[in-house]
Amino acid sequence: MPLVSMRQLLDEAAKGGYGVGAFNVNNMEQIQAIMEAAQQTKSPVIIQASRGARQYAQDRYLYHLMLAAAELYPEIPIAMHQDHGNSFETCKSAIELGFTSVMMDGSLKADGKTPTEFEENVEVTRRVVEYAHERGVTVEGEIGVLGGIEDGHGAGGSGLEHVTDPDQAVEFAERTGVDALAIAIGTSHGAYKFSKKPDGSVLKMDLLIEIHNRLPKTHLVMHGSSSVPKELQDIVNQYGGHLKETWGVPVEEIQLGIKNGVRKINVDTDNRLAITGAIRKVLWESPEKFDPRDYNKPAREAMQKVVATRMVQFGQAGHAGDYSAVSIAEQAKGYANGTLSTAPLVSAK
Ligand code: G3H
Ligand code: 13P
Ligand code: ZN
């Protein structure tokens, strides 16, 4: 199947009442792990690359790896998504490269650290929407700001400093025409999200539900959604790592989100932990080994296991064959003739 738009994947997910994991990649092994998990569980999938990933892997390598995935797994719908685009130019370059979806994260300035004013966010996001939709490409925007900065993107501090204001979410959706809306409900990027199992005082599921009630047809996105399982932390620490005790977003909270309009769930850290634990184990147990395949293979398998587990938990498993690809050119026509209208349905408070 050719790469498809994320909008198609999310519209289908909304019809089926499930969520779709969006997994970050930086190299071939991570793409292979996701595709094997998708095949194993018969899942549609979103593969996403941050600006850092594009720089690390180089655009052309990344793009051709994605084409290889589409060629090798014709039965799997795959959307290729720019994660946390920091400017119009970043999103434009992603679209020129062949990404089928972009996130314009206008909640932060181009430095990826400083929160913006609401109007600035609306303005840059609206510009990206106009450019992307003319080309059939999906746009995710963000209102409210995530916490954490350890992985290079975020405002720092706790996830509670800039949670989403529901009135602003409504106005933002109306004025920008985004296809999907990332909201801030207390999560942050990276491993150190919560210092104990999160309850409603730090993970604002009530706020998510309120936003969903106000915007019942809008595809919501949860960032910072790794669950940071203790088993993965333990493997890293057992083989010489030094992770402090920490908690992520419990899967049951994500499942509650999915029941309330969440269609895209961003996961990177869990896979990083799985890979690192597997590599550490090989090098710790067999210090004489130096063939990268000896540790890259178990690392890839460990990531595949995490991704396949999440695909089942998010409900996307079994849905790969539900539909066939709509081309990006067709999507562009849909935006132009209004069949893919992004005017949100707004319900009263
Ligand atoms: O945005 C967060 C993702 O985990 C990507 O992280 O910017 O270090 O590639 P990164
Ligand atoms: P995690 O750090 O929780 O995996 O979040 C990833 C993310 O939100 C990527 O945009
Ligand atoms: Zn994110």
Side-chain angles (χ1 to χ4, degrees):
M1 200 180 283
L3 297 173
V4 299
S5 73
M6 189 168 84
R7 172 70 186 269
Q8 189 188 4
L9 255 71
L10 300 187
D11 285 352
E12 291 289 340
K15 266 191 244 165
Y18 58 90
V20 184
F23 304 102
N24 288 74
V25 296
N26 292 272
N27 62 20
M28 179 183 75
E29 285 79 3
Q30 289 179 306
I31 296 176
Q32 291 174 326
I34 295 168
M35 292 315 301
E36 282 296 297
Q39 185 180 57
Q40 181 192 341
T41 61
K42 300 185 172 46
S43 297
V45 70
I46 301 163
I47 298 188
Q48 59 187 9
S50 67
R51 279 182 298 133
R54 284 178 59 188
Q55 219 169 14
Y56 173 81
Q58 294 182 23
D59 278 354
R60 301 307 301 169
Y61 281 119
L62 203 54
Y63 181 60
H64 285 278
L65 285 169
M66 291 301 303
L67 289 188
E71 190 182 314
L72 289 168
Y73 300 84
E75 72 285 13
I76 305 292
I78 313 168
M80 182 177 178
H81 177 76
Q82 166 78 57
D83 191 24
H84 293 286
N86 64 328
S87 65
F88 176 83
E89 287 70 29
T90 297
C91 294
K92 181 169 179 276
S93 70
I95 293 168
E96 284 167 354
L97 183 64
F99 281 62
T100 58
S101 178
V102 293
M103 175 187 194
M104 177 59 236
D105 182 358
S107 72
L108 296 174
K109 289 187 183 284
D111 66 4
K113 295 177 175 57
T114 316
T116 50
E117 294 299 325
F118 179 72
E119 287 300 327
E120 194 179 341
N121 189 358
V122 168
E123 186 48 39
V124 68
T125 307
R126 212 162 42 82
R127 234 180 116 207
V128 170
V129 167
E130 200 178 293
Y131 183 85
H133 284 182
E134 268 175 24
R135 290 156 181 82
V137 170
T138 311
V139 181
E140 172 186 341
E142 176 165 325
I143 185 74
V145 184
L146 253 68
I149 202 161
E150 71 197 71
D151 55 9
H153 195 103
S158 104
L160 290 174
E161 278 168 40
H162 305 275
V163 293
T164 304
D165 173 285
D167 289 329
Q168 280 197 347
V170 170
E171 190 180 339
F172 185 81
E174 285 178 323
R175 288 177 59 193
T176 59
V178 288
D179 300 278
L181 184 62
I183 56 172
I185 54 165
T187 69
S188 46
H189 289 134
Y192 300 104
K193 302 182 194 301
F194 305 110
S195 54
K196 57 183 173 56
K197 189 174 176 192
D199 58 21
S201 67
V202 287
L203 180 60
K204 302 281 179 192
M205 296 308 294
D206 49 350
L207 178 59
L208 183 147
I209 293 168
E210 186 184 344
I211 295 169
H212 172 58
N213 288 339
R214 299 281 304 280
L215 291 168
K217 296 276 182 219
T218 299
H219 302 313
L220 299 180
V221 182
M222 276 175 77
H223 280 248
S225 289
S226 278
S227 299
V228 198
K230 183 160 178 344
E231 315 85 79
L232 294 182
Q233 297 177 44
D234 286 348
I235 295 173
V236 171
N237 286 338
Q238 189 183 341
Y239 298 104
H242 290 287
L243 294 173
K244 288 174 284 175
E245 199 176 30
T246 179
W247 276 262
V249 183
V251 168
E252 60 272 20
E253 301 291 359
I254 297 173
Q255 289 168 333
L256 173 65
I258 293 168
K259 288 199 183 88
N260 287 281
V262 170
R263 297 293 159 236
K264 173 174 183 270
I265 305 105
N266 282 21
V267 174
D268 187 1
T269 297
D270 285 352
N271 291 323
R272 292 179 176 192
L273 290 171
I275 289 168
T276 300
I279 292 175
R280 279 191 173 281
K281 183 171 190 295
V282 172
L283 297 182
W284 181 274
E285 287 178 343
S286 316
E288 75 287 359
K289 288 196 169 157
F290 59 87
D291 181 340
R293 290 171 296 191
D294 288 337
Y295 49 83
N296 280 334
K297 194 163 175 281
R300 189 170 60 191
E301 285 164 2
M303 173 163 165
Q304 179 185 336
K305 206 166 141 200
V306 171
V307 173
T309 304
R310 294 288 174 268
M311 286 169 161
V312 172
Q313 291 166 331
F314 299 163
Q316 73 206 82
H319 288 286
D322 289 358
Y323 49 96
S324 47
V326 173
S327 72
I328 296 296
E330 275 304 310
Q331 292 289 106
K333 280 189 211 155
Y335 287 118
N337 66 26
T339 50
L340 286 180
S341 164
T342 50
L345 178 66
V346 179
S347 300
K349 281 190 211 184

